[in-house]
Amino acid sequence: MDTQIKKGLLDLCVLSFLIDKDMYGYEIVQSISKSIEVSEGTIYPILRRLSKEGYFETYIVESNEGPARKYYRITALGIEFYKKQLNSWEKLKNGMDSILKRGENNDK
């Protein structure tokens, strides 16, 4: 997938996972990686930026299996932003589908 297109959609992917439950960074990377190729170096800057913008809160959970983990929790502002971004994505996707699939029903 084109890098620029993917970068624009990764915010929405991160928000989508955090709508379901609080998660730590590596867990988010692994979850997204099941569907699209992505690295930690791509996701962590997104998490920092979205946290700074007020879409997430963070908290630390101690672990017996290694270092403490920073968890991300979506805020009310983050939920509102997610819904707007999802709506924008749906409109773009539907528009692109109508353009790219316009010839499928025509006999050539």
Side-chain angles (χ1 to χ4, degrees):
M1 175 183 285
D2 179 87
T3 304
Q4 291 301 327
I5 293 171
K6 186 163 66 171
K7 280 185 179 180
L9 295 173
L10 285 176
D11 287 10
L12 187 57
C13 293
V14 169
L15 288 159
S16 176
F17 280 104
L18 290 172
I19 284 283
D20 294 335
K21 66 176 185 168
D22 297 359
M23 299 174 82
Y24 58 94
Y26 186 71
E27 183 181 17
I28 296 167
V29 172
Q30 292 301 306
S31 296
I32 294 173
S33 292
K34 290 177 183 175
S35 299
I36 56 176
E37 187 176 324
V38 68
S39 70
E40 291 177 53
T42 302
I43 298 300
Y44 282 104
I46 291 170
L47 290 169
R48 282 191 295 274
R49 180 176 47 78
L50 293 176
S51 293
K52 188 176 181 178
E53 292 173 1
Y55 300 134
F56 304 140
E57 298 172 338
T58 62
Y59 60 94
I60 303 294
V61 174
E62 296 298 325
S63 173
N64 294 331
E65 302 168 4
R69 293 179 173 156
K70 181 191 275 188
Y71 276 78
Y72 296 84
R73 175 186 300 131
I74 196 164
T75 63
L77 184 63
I79 292 169
E80 184 180 319
F81 180 68
Y82 169 74
K83 288 177 181 177
K84 287 179 184 175
Q85 293 298 100
L86 184 59
N87 186 49
S88 294
W89 163 246
E90 290 293 337
K91 287 179 182 176
L92 176 61
K93 181 183 172 298
N94 291 337
M96 290 300 297
D97 282 346
S98 70
I99 292 169
L100 298 176
K101 296 179 180 182
R102 69 186 182 282
E104 286 184 1
N105 295 327
N106 297 336
D107 292 327
K108 293 185 178 184

